[in-house]
């Protein structure tokens, strides 16, 4: 029990997050499945229970009180957090090209995907620092790469900007923690069929989860401050 790695996956009740939880359970971790809605989180945890030790934890990126309560619970129960996977995120109607994107929609996406993730990271970082070699994985996207977006006709300003900001969090936090054993990386799932894109993606959630799982389980000589997909490193 004491040797198990302790993981928290936000947005773990569906899609890529659900499969990240499944993969970490398969790797022998004890996983806290973070979700905003208790009923959905508990149901997801029950579905995954046969695969290992999984526990629901209320985590709402827009509600600091839930983050503080979740961190306090982990401190009492575990005393550390080996793996934090920042997976939770949204995409909302009204996002689009810069000349037409609804400003309120863009602000909502940025508030959740970036500011909310920053709040989660700051809240749980003290627990990650108590682990022997913590891992923080930010689930990003190729849409967060300035290089890739500049070469493609992808027009979701708010979503792209939120993932680019998330990548900046990865780079700066990795540098801030460079003298520690903690590694911080961005995982790009690829075009995965989830409710974010109306299930139009070409990859399965399990395929989309693979890189985040790999980065969560990096060995001591693994990289930090990178963005990668299953095909390798991606440009910023």
């Amino acid at each position: 029990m004491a040797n198990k790695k302790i993981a928290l996956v936000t947005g773990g009740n569906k899609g890529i997050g659900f499969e990240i939880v499944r993969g970490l359970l398969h790797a022998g971790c004890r996983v806290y499945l973070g979700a905003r809605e208790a009923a959905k989180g508990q149901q997801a945890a029950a579905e995954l229970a046969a695969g290992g030790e999984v526990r629901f934890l209320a985590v709402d990126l827009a509600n600091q009180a839930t983050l503080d309560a979740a961190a306090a619970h982990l401190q009492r129960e575990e005393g550390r957090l080996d793996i934090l996977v920042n997976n939770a995120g949204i995409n909302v109607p009204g996002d689009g090209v810069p000349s037409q994107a609804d400003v309120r929609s863009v602000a909502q996406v940025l508030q959740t995907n970036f500011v909310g993730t920053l709040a989660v990271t700051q809240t749980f970082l003290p627990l990650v620092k108590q682990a022997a070699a913590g891992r923080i994985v930010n689930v990003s996207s190729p849409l967060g790469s300035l290089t890739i977006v500049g070469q493609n006709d992808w027009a979701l300003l708010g979503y792209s900007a939120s993932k680019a900001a998330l990548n900046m969090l990865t780079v700066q936090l990795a540098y801030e923690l460079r003298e520690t054993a903690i590694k911080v990386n961005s995982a790009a799932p690829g075009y995965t069929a989830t409710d974010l894109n109306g299930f139009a993606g070409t990859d399965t959630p399990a395929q989309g989860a693979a890189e985040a799982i790999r980065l969560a389980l990096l060995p001591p000589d693994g990289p930090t401050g990178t963005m990668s997909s299953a095909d390798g490193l991606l440009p910023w």
Side-chain angles (χ1 to χ4, degrees):
M1 291 283 289
N3 294 327
K4 281 181 175 284
K5 288 184 178 179
I6 310 304
L8 168 62
V9 181
T10 67
N13 60 293
K14 62 181 179 178
I16 292 171
F18 185 88
E19 293 300 334
I20 293 173
V21 174
R22 190 199 303 273
L24 292 177
L25 288 173
H26 182 73
C29 302
R30 180 156 60 249
V31 184
Y32 286 81
L33 187 157
R36 183 171 48 118
E37 299 180 40
K40 293 181 179 180
Q42 291 166 349
Q43 179 180 347
E47 291 176 15
L48 291 165
E53 291 185 70
V54 56
R55 301 170 183 177
F56 163 71
L57 197 60
V59 174
D60 183 349
L61 274 60
N63 187 336
Q64 183 64 44
T66 71
L67 306 184
D68 293 338
H73 179 82
L74 282 178
Q75 182 64 59
R76 290 192 306 270
E77 293 294 315
E78 308 291 355
R80 72 181 197 280
L81 182 61
D82 299 280
I83 298 166
L84 171 62
V85 181
N86 286 314
N87 167 74
I90 62 170
N91 186 18
V92 300
D95 200 359
V97 297
S99 62
Q100 299 176 25
D102 181 77
V103 173
R104 289 168 298 182
S105 295
V106 171
Q108 182 181 355
V109 173
L110 284 166
Q111 182 66 36
T112 298
N113 293 3
F114 174 59
V115 178
T117 298
L118 175 61
V120 170
T121 303
Q122 290 182 346
T123 302
F124 289 96
L125 184 56
L127 280 159
V128 177
K129 288 182 176 179
Q130 292 178 58
R135 301 289 181 262
I136 299 175
V137 181
N138 296 322
V139 177
S140 184
S141 167
L143 275 76
S145 165
L146 301 181
T147 300
I148 294 174
V149 171
Q151 299 170 353
N152 293 275
D153 184 23
W154 289 340
L156 286 172
L157 178 63
Y159 188 80
S160 292
S162 73
K163 294 302 185 179
L166 194 63
N167 288 340
M168 184 61 73
L169 172 60
T170 293
V171 171
Q172 291 203 11
L173 186 58
Y175 186 80
E176 182 181 350
L177 299 173
R178 65 193 181 280
E179 302 298 332
T180 75
I182 300 171
K183 298 185 185 297
V184 188
N185 292 284
S186 286
Y191 193 34
T192 305
T194 68
D195 58 359
L196 281 181
N197 54 38
F199 301 97
T202 54
D203 294 340
T204 67
Q207 290 173 314
E211 185 63 8
I213 295 168
R214 185 186 74 83
L215 292 172
L217 300 171
L218 280 176
D221 61 349
T224 189
T226 69
M227 176 168 65
S228 56
S229 71
D231 295 324
L233 291 175
L234 294 176
W236 295 118

